Amino acid sequence: MLISSILPAAISMSFSLPASAAAPAWPDTPVMRVEALALLQTLNAELLSHDSATLTLDRWCAVHHLAEGEKIVAERVKGADKPASEEVRRLLKVSAQTPLAYRHVRLKCGAHVLSEADNWYVPALLTPQMNRMLETTDTAFGRVVQPLQFQRHTVSAELLWQPLPPGWETDAAIPADTSASLVVPEALLRHHAYLATPSGTPFSVVVETYMKGVLGFAARDVTAR
């Protein structure tokens, strides 16, 4: 049931994660912990089964009413730069001399930050219009390159937060009800992936950290009567 983690050391990296918008507090109960785990596993499955993380987050935002009528927007982090590692270039199948572009964004639904992503891509494989949009606007990468009909290939997926202790489904004790709110960390899930054209040519490598904003809605505690 738990998400496997296969993290290539060459592209494993740390993030400076911003605080998400204030969200309704979830009560710290066993049911809420199970619900949080189920939601994270659901989001993970959605991301793994669709090619566009942007469109997946669009649906997540709408279904959970995080911001009525809002679409995912990319807030660019200006001035940030991370040279591509050898592993990134290996995934892109390019040499050390091939020019790459870099984009660091926070994907937001209304005031909620749902993910923070590093993206290295090959400008020569995109159209001039796509490159111009990526350089001058905050349009999400997935929306800009959607005409390429790309396919997403996951390198690794890692669950960063375990709402329940290991072995909870067999014999480990689940934390009892408390009068406190459930403490949700900023970073919940991390994906490494690359995007490729239908012919198999990779053009982008992404490292995405999904944040507590994905749970920024009022959960229903079924134990509350």
Side-chain angles (χ1 to χ4, degrees):
M1 179 177 182
L2 298 181
I3 301 169
S4 62
S5 171
I6 311 172
L7 297 177
I11 58 175
S12 179
M13 55 199 63
S14 61
F15 291 81
S16 175
L17 298 175
S20 296
W26 289 27
D28 189 355
T29 67
V31 169
M32 285 293 93
R33 287 177 176 270
V34 171
E35 184 170 332
L37 179 59
L39 284 164
L40 289 179
Q41 296 287 18
T42 298
L43 174 59
N44 184 66
E46 288 289 313
L47 291 165
L48 291 174
S49 59
H50 292 88
D51 289 318
S52 173
T54 301
L55 297 184
T56 297
L57 291 180
D58 273 344
R59 291 188 293 270
W60 187 269
C61 180
V63 167
H64 296 95
H65 308 290
L66 291 172
E68 295 299 332
E70 294 283 347
K71 294 285 188 180
I72 295 299
V73 297
E75 178 184 87
R76 296 177 65 192
V77 180
K78 305 293 179 64
D81 188 24
K82 290 182 183 177
S85 67
E86 291 182 8
E87 178 67 8
V88 167
R89 289 185 176 275
R90 183 188 69 79
L91 289 171
L92 290 172
K93 298 181 181 180
V94 297
S95 70
Q97 288 70 46
T98 302
L100 298 181
Y102 171 75
R103 213 169 184 242
H104 185 185
V105 300
R106 297 181 184 117
L107 294 184
K108 301 178 69 175
C109 173
H112 297 280
V113 177
L114 303 192
S115 74
E116 179 161 350
D118 281 326
N119 181 6
W120 295 266
Y121 60 95
V122 186
L125 297 178
L126 307 184
T127 67
Q129 181 182 11
M130 290 176 183
N131 283 310
R132 194 159 48 248
M133 288 184 67
L134 291 171
E135 292 166 4
T136 62
T137 76
D138 285 350
T139 308
F141 189 84
R143 264 191 249 287
V144 173
V145 300
Q146 195 171 359
L148 296 179
Q149 298 182 315
F150 62 86
Q151 298 168 344
R152 180 183 175 95
H153 302 269
T154 301
V155 177
S156 66
E158 180 188 13
L159 188 63
L160 302 177
W161 176 49
Q162 289 284 1
L164 295 168
W168 68 271
E169 70 278 18
T170 54
D171 57 3
I174 298 178
D177 288 23
T178 73
S179 58
S181 297
L182 185 61
V183 178
V184 181
E186 288 294 330
L188 305 179
L189 177 68
R190 183 167 294 147
H191 277 204
H192 293 211
Y194 67 91
L195 308 182
T197 63
S199 65
T201 302
F203 62 88
S204 168
V205 169
V206 293
V207 180
E208 302 157 340
T209 299
Y210 294 89
M211 299 173 62
K212 66 186 294 184
V214 300
L215 301 180
F217 53 91
R220 182 171 64 95
D221 186 351
V222 298
T223 63
R225 301 288 183 181

